[in-house]
Amino acid sequence: MTEIEQMPDFRLIDHKGYKIITNIHSPEELEKLEDGEVYDDDLFVVTYPKSGTIWMQQIMTLIDAKGDLSASQSKLTSECFPWVELTEFAKNFASRPSPRLYCSHLPWYLLPKGLRQKKGKIIYVSRNPKDVLTSYYHFHFFANMLETPKDFEDFLDKFIDGRVNGGSWFDHIRGWYSHKDEFNILFLTYEELIKDLKTAIVKITKFWGKDLDDQQVNNVVYHSTFRNMKTNPKANYEEIPKTMLDQDKGSFMRKGVIGDWKNTLTVAQNERFDQVFEEKMSDCPLKFVWNM
Ligand code: PPS
């Protein structure tokens, strides 16, 4: 059987106003996940796609190992720190041993309801949406479960309308931000991690309630820089099968900078994005860093 014949049928479908992918997500399992029991030592990192998820997976795994890279090398990052919405993990939510670490792209209303009683902790990481859009566009050529865009204009339409895995960036961030007081949540931005990784790591460590000395924090910083993650097969997902990610066509660790959108959006596309941003976000107090 060829690679193509083995490829599962990946289709974007709607689940309660959010977009998921057939064969990796299941509406039935997501429905059950909402009622899953939450424990105080559960920790979720929540992001819209391309906002720094695998970066946070690496940072959190290293904080947990007090900066010891070898402790985080024995298993795939996706096993230590899985996406809760993937069917195999959503199904086993109740039986996973504590303390449970998950990442998720789900909107606020699809994660287990217990989180809304401030049980467990959430770290929400956002990124300026022009860089999210740019990163996501490139990722669609690399990830086989996502439809290859016709061109950037086509992808821009889909992103603005929320016709992508993860749904609307605007709804995602607005939803999480407006419901923040219901959760035990720390908001961080990709840009603050870029600008001062150590300060961000110390903030995360405190929020999580971990106790690391300065050398251990420095080790976490060192092993989670873009350069070091890019050459670490465990951190950059080189081991994911080709049916999911075609390593010849791209990389999770692409550029890792602020402002790459300038190399992709035309002047007209940028003006259109600014107009949509203004319409959808003018009443939201969150501020974004667009350039370094
Ligand atoms: S996904 O598919 O949603 O899990 O993708 P996600 O991990 O959220 O986002 C991938 C982008 O994060 C960048 N990245 C980093 N930037 C700086 N430093 C480090 N250490 C780092 N790790 C990951 C990665 O390069 C992707 O952004 P782009 O702009 O495509 O480079």
Side-chain angles (χ1 to χ4, degrees):
M1 206 183 270
T2 67
E3 193 92 45
I4 291 294
E5 284 167 324
Q6 287 170 13
M7 198 94 80
D9 166 36
F10 296 124
R11 269 175 306 114
L12 202 61
I13 56 167
D14 185 84
H15 176 68
K16 299 186 170 181
Y18 179 73
K19 292 282 186 290
I20 58 171
I21 302 174
T22 56
N23 269 303
I24 62 170
H25 303 126
S26 137
E28 295 74 31
E29 293 305 329
L30 286 177
E31 189 76 48
K32 283 190 235 156
L33 181 66
E34 284 185 48
D35 293 318
E37 191 173 355
V38 178
Y39 304 113
D40 283 332
D41 57 2
D42 286 337
L43 188 125
F44 290 75
V45 167
V46 181
T47 55
Y48 184 84
K50 313 323 290 180
S51 303
T53 327
I54 71 162
W55 196 1
M56 287 299 291
Q57 284 177 322
Q58 176 76 353
I59 291 170
M60 304 302 287
T61 307
L62 282 163
I63 291 177
D64 206 26
K66 294 197 181 284
D68 178 359
L69 183 66
S70 62
S72 67
Q73 291 287 292
S74 53
K75 273 188 183 175
L76 272 177
T77 314
S78 53
E79 285 170 51
C80 311
F81 208 120
W83 274 267
V84 71
E85 59 267 31
L86 296 181
T87 303
E88 59 185 296
F89 296 106
K91 215 183 243 174
N92 296 315
F93 182 70
S95 58
R96 189 175 170 84
S98 291
R100 301 181 296 187
L101 298 181
Y102 288 107
C103 56
S104 178
H105 295 318
L106 290 175
W108 69 275
Y109 58 88
L110 290 182
L111 274 181
K113 292 181 193 124
L115 288 162
R116 280 178 246 166
Q117 274 106 51
K118 301 202 178 191
K119 274 193 191 160
K121 291 181 178 166
I122 297 181
I123 300 179
Y124 186 95
V125 185
S126 64
R127 185 180 188 186
N128 89 61
K130 291 181 192 173
D131 280 333
V132 170
L133 161 71
T134 305
S135 177
Y136 214 4
Y137 170 68
H138 290 288
F139 190 66
H140 274 66
F141 292 89
F142 164 55
N144 286 325
M145 64 282 192
L146 304 176
E147 189 189 351
T148 306
K150 278 208 286 289
D151 50 34
F152 187 74
E153 189 74 25
D154 168 55
F155 188 71
L156 177 62
D157 289 340
K158 290 188 169 131
F159 185 86
I160 286 175
D161 295 348
R163 286 181 285 124
V164 291
N165 173 47
S168 158
W169 177 89
F170 303 96
D171 292 348
H172 199 274
I173 191 150
R174 288 180 63 101
W176 272 105
Y177 189 74
S178 58
H179 289 271
K180 65 181 184 327
D181 295 341
E182 296 161 40
F183 298 91
N184 186 1
I185 194 167
L186 172 70
F187 272 85
L188 287 174
T189 66
Y190 176 93
E191 291 79 13
E192 70 180 282
L193 267 75
I194 291 269
K195 286 184 171 175
D196 186 352
L197 186 54
K198 185 167 177 179
T199 300
I201 287 173
V202 169
K203 212 190 253 186
I204 295 166
T205 306
K206 280 201 185 124
F207 176 73
W208 198 4
K210 299 281 181 183
D211 189 20
L212 270 65
D213 64 29
D214 196 51
Q215 186 53 49
Q216 290 167 334
V217 170
N218 286 340
N219 290 343
V220 176
V221 173
Y222 178 77
H223 295 302
S224 45
T225 59
F226 184 83
R227 211 175 61 170
N228 288 335
M229 280 181 64
K230 196 169 169 71
T231 53
N232 175 350
K234 285 268 180 333
N236 70 31
Y237 282 91
E238 269 172 37
E239 296 164 32
I240 298 286
K242 218 172 172 174
T243 42
M244 300 293 277
L245 298 176
D246 189 344
Q247 306 286 349
D248 299 331
K249 291 192 189 153
S251 160
F252 252 100
M253 307 295 299
R254 196 183 58 90
K255 287 198 175 172
V257 295
I258 305 173
D260 188 45
W261 58 270
K262 287 186 190 153
N263 299 315
T264 309
L265 277 77
T266 62
V267 171
Q269 287 165 344
N270 186 36
E271 283 171 4
R272 178 176 167 210
F273 196 94
D274 284 342
Q275 197 182 336
V276 174
F277 185 87
E278 179 60 27
E279 280 162 20
K280 295 189 188 268
M281 300 294 290
S282 57
D283 59 342
C284 178
L286 283 170
K287 294 281 170 268
F288 295 90
V289 174
W290 307 96
N291 309 297
M292 190 63 183

